Amino acid sequence: MTAYQAPLTDIQFLLNDVFQIDRFNNLAGFADASPDLREAVLIEAAKLSENVLHPLNATGDSEGCIRHDDGRVTAPRGFRDAFRRLGDGGWIGLSAPTEYGGQGLPDTLSHAVGEMFSSANMALEMYAGLTRGAVAALLAHGSDEQKRLFIPRMLAGEWTGTMNLTEPHCGTDLGMMRTKAVKRSDGSYSITGTKIFISGGEQDISENIVHLVLARVEGAPAGIKGISLFVVPKRLVNPDGSLGRANGVSCGSIEHKMGIRGSSTCVLNYEGAHGWLVGKENKGMQAMFVMMNDARLGVGMQALSQSEVAYQNAASYARERLQGRSLAGAREPEQPADPIIVHPDVRRTLLTIRAFNEAARALVLWTSLQSDIAHRTQDAGEREMADDHMGLVTPMIKGVLTDKGFANAVCAQQMFGGHGYIVETGMEQFVRDARITMLYEGANGIQALDLVARKLPRDGGRAIKAFLAEVNGFIEDHARTNDLKPFFAPLELSLSDLDQATSSLMQQAATDLNEAIAGSTDYMHLFGLVALGYMWARMVKTARDKIAAGERSAHLATKLLTGRFFMDRMLPETSVHLARIRAGGRVIMDVPAEAF
């Protein structure tokens, strides 16, 4: 039986002290999110996570979803009622516009809450997360009528949302899509085709499901330039918002998966279903990327959430599990053995996970704050900088956080020895659930490719130059402070590694693009380490200032020790990634295909 305790102290430290979120009260919704309101929201979210969502995590996994002969799918026991509480409590629309029934609060706060919900029960939170993503796409590209009909009920949790991209023959290469759309005389479209891996595609937790479906209109250009986006409800919606007859979409099957078994992953068959164009014909990818970018940040957060809950249970076990004696001498001689927390390698493992979790949380919230700026500022220059940040950092967050989050779940499982391999401890579920984060919303190799081939050179490298300048400026401002030197010196070295790696990739790409692409995953992880290191530098600087001002707490003292561990033991890995990048890709590409 696992347990979960929301990291409220750390989240509040980041929002209030590190990022000083009240400085952004000029942005819409931020002034409403006063410190007292933020605290109340976070406390209530923690209670819901710990007392309602997490107790359903193991049972949801063991029961899974069930498809019936008539195509209906039922979610695990308790999921419907728990989801109803998310809707009734306003949690789905926490950061959505008030005009559609949302609360208009910062997206940054919504992501902080989302981490808690996902740590507590990742499969259940997926229904809400996908609904928020569909709402975001409709807000950005939907017609006024589509917004009026769908969004209020989605935010209330009465209806849910999905995204339909993948088909049996195409995943990443959406240009191969075959689902077709034929225009009807009434202005709607007839949608026909098959979509696979559709999370939440059929279930019984909501009255209706609002599918956002990519399809190709007859006569459209080939490739992704001919893809359009359609809203296709499971049940048709009357002009007054009431539900009409069933639409032409059905669940052909559900996948029997390695993890997230409480989330229904469906094969959906569209047979002349009524759909309505979202945005313009052949511009579907622009609309869908609103969902995908939000989803990639959300998937990075999911991986962090599994790393966090796995860490909590591993640390608790390490403090309690008696096994062997410390080689330096018995620590608890009155006991038959010492707790395994006395062993240096156990502590190294736990500190590795913890140091990642705390920096990853900061990175997610910092990037969420940039998303808020991009969507809420009236300043064109601020919006451009925030958009640059999102474009550059989002693929890195998805790739690095999910690679490391899964690895951390495995390391946490390792703390249990053989007990971690059996179902009763719950640790193997965290490993299984975390694994999907590396695969969906674009497998991690695709994220690295996107980062290096598209995001890095965009606008002459403006985004990466801005990142390098920001981190370098922070180092120059604080590196001379004596007690900060042990933290800032390693960051300065790693920033130099990133700068050199960036130059090396650009030089390689000028002569042979494969040379640069071969180093894309290493570049993504090098970049990720520096970004996490920058988060640690900011956290350490803030903790040190609070201690100097007279505040004493175990949280601040441990923050400094954990930050020092990251700088000494984890950040130096950037030099390894740099060496691999400089090695180029010739030996990789010279091996003939038939040799594999």
Side-chain angles (χ1 to χ4, degrees), residues 4 6-8 11 15 38 41-46 48-50 53-54 86 90-95 106-130 132 294-295 297-309 361 364-365 368 437 440:
Y4 172 67
L8 286 175
I11 291 172
L15 295 178
R38 291 197 304 270
V41 167
L42 292 171
I43 288 174
E44 289 305 311
L48 189 58
S49 300
E50 296 165 4
L53 304 184
H54 192 63
L86 294 181
W91 297 106
I92 299 172
L94 196 64
S95 60
D107 198 44
T108 308
L109 184 61
S110 183
H111 273 98
V113 170
E115 184 205 326
M116 296 187 215
F117 289 173
S118 191
S119 280
N121 193 323
M122 179 173 158
L124 177 55
E125 165 59 13
M126 283 181 65
Y127 294 106
L130 285 162
R132 283 191 291 268
D294 183 73
L297 178 58
V299 170
M301 179 268 289
Q302 284 182 334
L304 159 64
S305 76
Q306 297 310 289
S307 182
E308 173 65 29
V309 68
R361 179 174 299 116
V364 167
L365 293 180
S368 300
T437 64
Y440 60 11

Side-chain angles (χ1 to χ4, degrees), residues 7-20 42 358 365 535-536 538-544 546 551 555-556 559:
L8 286 175
T9 300
D10 204 48
I11 291 172
Q12 291 172 327
F13 170 72
L14 290 169
L15 295 178
N16 298 336
D17 301 313
V18 176
F19 300 123
Q20 299 176 1
L42 292 171
E358 295 184 14
L365 293 180
M535 293 298 97
W536 265 116
R538 294 184 64 167
M539 289 188 289
V540 163
K541 164 67 170 52
T542 303
R544 174 239 183 216
K546 290 174 72 68
E551 184 174 336
H555 175 259
L556 294 176
K559 185 68 71 176

Side-chain angles (χ1 to χ4, degrees), residues 366-564:
W366 181 46
T367 302
S368 300
L369 184 56
Q370 300 305 310
S371 177
D372 273 321
I373 293 171
H375 289 102
R376 301 178 190 233
T377 186
Q378 300 299 313
D379 186 295
E382 289 181 351
R383 185 181 302 110
E384 179 181 87
M385 291 178 62
D387 281 335
D388 282 354
H389 174 96
M390 292 292 294
L392 179 72
V393 172
T394 298
M396 178 270 285
I397 284 181
K398 197 283 181 183
V400 173
L401 267 58
T402 61
D403 275 353
K404 296 299 184 184
F406 172 73
N408 287 343
V410 172
C411 288
Q413 180 190 36
Q414 186 76 12
M415 293 295 94
F416 286 70
H419 294 284
Y421 198 67
I422 60 176
V423 171
E424 283 77 8
T425 63
M427 297 305 291
E428 55 86 37
Q429 183 188 346
F430 300 141
V431 173
R432 289 186 288 104
D433 285 354
R435 184 65 181 90
I436 186 58
T437 64
M438 302 166 70
L439 299 171
Y440 60 11
E441 305 308 332
N444 287 354
I446 298 297
Q447 303 301 323
L449 183 64
D450 179 43
L451 174 64
V452 169
R454 296 194 183 110
K455 304 301 175 58
L456 201 59
R458 178 176 292 175
D459 298 313
R462 185 175 68 200
I464 189 63
K465 290 175 184 175
F467 176 84
L468 292 167
E470 177 174 347
V471 180
N472 188 61
F474 192 79
I475 293 171
E476 289 182 349
D477 288 344
H478 305 293
R480 292 184 179 85
T481 305
N482 286 333
D483 54 348
L484 290 179
K485 286 181 179 178
F487 301 94
F488 281 71
L491 180 59
E492 188 171 17
L493 289 174
S494 290
L495 185 67
S496 176
D497 287 344
L498 179 60
D499 192 12
Q500 293 176 65
T502 304
S503 298
S504 180
L505 283 182
M506 290 181 175
Q507 291 171 7
Q508 291 169 347
T511 56
D512 184 351
L513 189 57
N514 278 335
E515 285 281 293
I517 297 304
S520 58
T521 292
D522 277 294
Y523 185 86
M524 179 178 72
H525 279 280
L526 196 166
F527 181 24
L529 279 167
V530 174
L532 294 171
Y534 178 43
M535 293 298 97
W536 265 116
R538 294 184 64 167
M539 289 188 289
V540 163
K541 164 67 170 52
T542 303
R544 174 239 183 216
D545 288 350
K546 290 174 72 68
I547 292 171
E551 184 174 336
R552 297 288 188 270
S553 72
H555 175 259
L556 294 176
T558 306
K559 185 68 71 176
L560 295 179
L561 291 170
T562 309
R564 183 66 182 269

